[in-house]
Amino acid sequence: MGHRVGSAPLLLLLLAFCKGRIVRVPKSPLIRVEGTETVIPCNVTDYDGPSEQNFDWEFSQGTDFVRIVSTWDLSFTSQQYQKRVGSGEIVLRRSSNNAVELLIRSIQPVDQGEYKCITPSTDATVQGNYDATVQVKVIADGLTVSGSKARSSKPRKLSEGDSFELRCSASTTSSEHTHLQVTWELKNGPAWQEILSLTHEGKFQPSPEYEERYLSGDVRLNTGANDIYRLSVSQALPMDEGLYRCLVSEWVKGADSSWQKIQEKNVEVASVVIQQTALDVLIATSNMSVTERDSLDLTCNITTDRSGIFQAQVTWYFSEALDDTLSDAQILLSVDRDSVVSDSPLVSLSHMDRNSYHLLVRDVGVEDSGYYFCQAAVWVPQHNGSWHKVVEKTSSPVSVVVTALELDYQIFLNASKTPKFSDDPTELECRIMNAQNTEANVRFTVSWYYRMRLRNDAVVTDELLATMDADWTLLVGDKSRQRTQNGEIIFSKQAMDTFSLRIQWTSEADRGDYYCVVSAWSRHHNNSWVKSKDVSSALVSVFWATQDYTLTVEAVKLKPFFVAGHTFEMTCKVSSQNIKTPRYSVLITAEKPLTDQSNPNGTTRIISLNQDSVVRLEDWTDQARVDGVVLEKVQENEFRYRMYQTQMSDAGLYRCVVTAWSPGGGGMWREAVNGLSNPIQIDFQTSGPVFNVSVHSDNPTVYQGELADLLCIVTIDRVALEPDDMSFDVSWFAVHSFALDRAPVLLASLDRKGIVTQVRRNWSSDVSLERISPMEFRLRVHGCEDQDFGNHYCSVTPWVRSATGVWQREPEIKSKPIFISVKMDVLNALKYPVLIGIGLATIIGLLSCLIGYCSSRWCCKKEVQETRRERRRLMSMEMD
């Protein structure tokens, strides 16, 4: 018990030093085959210093270690390895900043031994391990692979659907307990393709391309006596043509219980040629034209060189477009290999002889125009009673044009209402006239188009306003969608032969040419509607004379001279021409100097007043002066802007941005024209104080748990001020990095009213901020941790009270950063674990003594009672 208690402090002490650099290599031993390429990886983690680490490799055969190669010292290699390293036989290549690989291109028995990977220290303190060793064992090559090639070097020629078998022999005499993996591969292109494998774990593993054939039993891998591995293919396909080889790899189980491939050999077995079945498919008729309601007669002829037992399958297809794929085409009829024909009421298929198939389409319509082609396939029986498709081919398409009865009609477009001024209504009527050969299975739809009128000869694309599909559903274009939803544009069908377009309030943007296109639709056998003809109307012009809008804005500064703290006031007078009953919206903007960091773009939107006299603050962000800007309408064409208690930061150029609005349809306002006023400048000529700020700390290096003091000192130049006439907003920031390459983090802030704001922290240390003098502010970090290191600086915004009693905000100034480093106190870090260990050991020792004492007292008491009984017995005998 005493030894266990005494070991507790030692265990805690060891755990405190466990964290540190870790160098890893594979577990020993590594078994490799003579003459093969060997790679030994090594990596290091949990280190300090630069991200890219250096590595040294050494070798030993039970004696002293010999230096092989290094990543950083070119003279590191010993003399016996200089030739192999110089020739590239031994290479040290880097796989990442903290990992390398030692490559031996052809390992030999002399390379068997112990390899050590060493990492030079870049840590601040020595912790962890700086090297690791691995034992490499080199065994002789005992793997033999051979294939059973045919006596002739000519390739084996097979017909599609035949079966074949290939053999391969593989064995090993390795001194280790190794497993073999056999893989059959095929090469019919630039690379070898895997077919089927018997893995080193005794599992059959087909490639994705052969998985379905493996599951069906068409492709198998069988084993036999004398280490024979047979690849059996019961149904040859064109993809089976090519060169076959047997790939054998030898595997051994490593020290970590994982399988490792130690070598690989292959042998080419045979070259197989698959002769495909020839098939020709031809439609006897060339391109043809058929009158509507007649019959269409086509014949498909097939020829093949296949002998023996086979069956043909024929399918007729129809496609409206020549570039459609077979999957997009429509299947008309088909006859399978059992001569079963699919049914269709208007299409029939007859088998005239073994090589001819006749297609008949009755009562053709316009929808039957398109391309017809037939597809034939040859099927052969298999040994298991199933059928296999050996070849399939599609004929060239035949173009069939069905001539329909020509519909004859004319289109007349009339403007029943034309606008004289803006916002007047416009109404157009599109009428069908002189319609002939229109039956009950014909219907008409309309499409409305707009063409912008230009003064030059530029080509303008027509814009679709609306169109109707075959079931008279209205589809609105992008130009008129919103206005149609608002009821400003109305499309209607007044009669069977009349369509109308009405614009409730016509604007200048609607001026131009309009025309309509009437489409005729014919009903087909499947009750679908197909467009048969389009007729366009003549252009109708919608236009009236108008004059361009003009807008003039003049800004006037009412008080030519004023100082900071006073009220700035300016007016904007607006005048316009050729705008009917206009209203104006006003926006006040300010162009600040480029030194103003609050708005890098230079222009700030301050306040606006829309055409309905609704005021809105735009980008005004001064919360202390929310009511400090006012924009009001003095007259119908005059607006006044006031800014109270002006600050030095308000300097810049101020303008009025005015938009003129005219009444539109439906009580809506329409934007007419925009105008910009002349700039009014606010410039404060001042020779006020100049503030400077610096950061100081008596002890920039602290230990964990200690207190860090930082002072933010403000100094003033040029003008001396009383402490009551100035105040400061102070904020402390930290950049937790050695360089200023990260975003600053706000620690705490103190405004000019004395209110301290602290930011929530994710670790146990705490901060406090206080003003210790009118121009000194102290930041304290209590209980420093590792996360508190980095560059610290303060940001100060001075406020100065002017002679009129108004507080003016000066530009923000920042101090240079000071770096605070936090070190770990090893004694303090180990103090509490050691004390806890000693305390626990003492308690357990005292508890052991107490238990021993109680046990001894109970045992002694029992022995005394038994002895007294014996004495009483002796006394009784003497008396007798």
Side-chain angles (χ1 to χ4, degrees), residues 507-528:
S507 64
E508 285 79 1
D510 296 326
R511 294 185 300 176
D513 297 328
Y514 293 81
Y515 67 95
C516 63
V517 177
V518 176
S519 303
W521 300 75
S522 300
R523 190 199 302 268
H524 285 184
H525 301 303
N526 56 0
N527 292 326
S528 63

Side-chain angles (χ1 to χ4, degrees), residues 796-816:
V796 177
T797 301
W799 290 80
V800 179
R801 184 160 54 186
S802 64
T804 59
V806 178
W807 286 94
Q808 298 290 326
R809 183 173 62 185
E810 299 293 328
E812 180 185 5
I813 52 177
K814 296 180 181 179
S815 69
K816 292 184 178 180

Side-chain angles (χ1 to χ4, degrees), residues 529-543:
W529 293 90
V530 177
K531 185 186 297 185
S532 58
K533 189 175 183 180
D534 286 334
V535 178
S536 300
S537 70
L539 295 176
V540 171
S541 178
V542 176
F543 187 80

